Amino acid sequence: MSIIKHEIFNEYPDVLDMQQFAAMLKIGKNYAYKLVNKGLIYSKKIGKKYLIAKTDVIEYFFMGVKK
């Protein structure tokens, strides 16, 4: 991934919870859950908490953007 893609979301941790994920994409929490439940964003559920890798969010965000 290019440096620009990493700098846009530099303020977020490498592993996100649902609140951080929604904030990162500037979407509502319900829509964030829809993306995860449909398998568009990979997540790992531990207990009741979903964890999402920042790199997966960046990949989703830039999907369709030509390199």
Side-chain angles (χ1 to χ4, degrees):
M1 271 183 240
S2 71
I3 294 171
I4 294 171
K5 290 180 183 179
H6 284 287
E7 288 180 6
I8 291 173
F9 299 118
N10 199 27
E11 65 195 65
Y12 294 96
D14 291 338
V15 179
L16 309 158
D17 61 22
M18 287 302 280
Q19 184 177 352
Q20 292 166 324
F21 167 53
M24 188 174 177
L25 293 183
K26 296 183 180 11
I27 58 175
K29 204 170 174 184
N30 289 337
Y31 191 67
Y33 277 103
K34 279 185 184 180
L35 291 174
V36 166
N37 290 328
K38 287 185 176 187
L40 297 172
I41 297 284
Y42 177 77
S43 68
K44 183 72 176 172
K45 189 173 181 184
I46 300 176
K48 294 183 178 184
K49 190 173 185 175
Y50 286 91
L51 298 176
I52 302 143
K54 178 168 69 172
T55 54
D56 290 337
V57 179
I58 291 169
E59 235 178 80
Y60 173 79
F61 185 79
F62 287 99
M63 202 167 38
V65 175
K66 294 182 180 179
K67 294 179 183 179

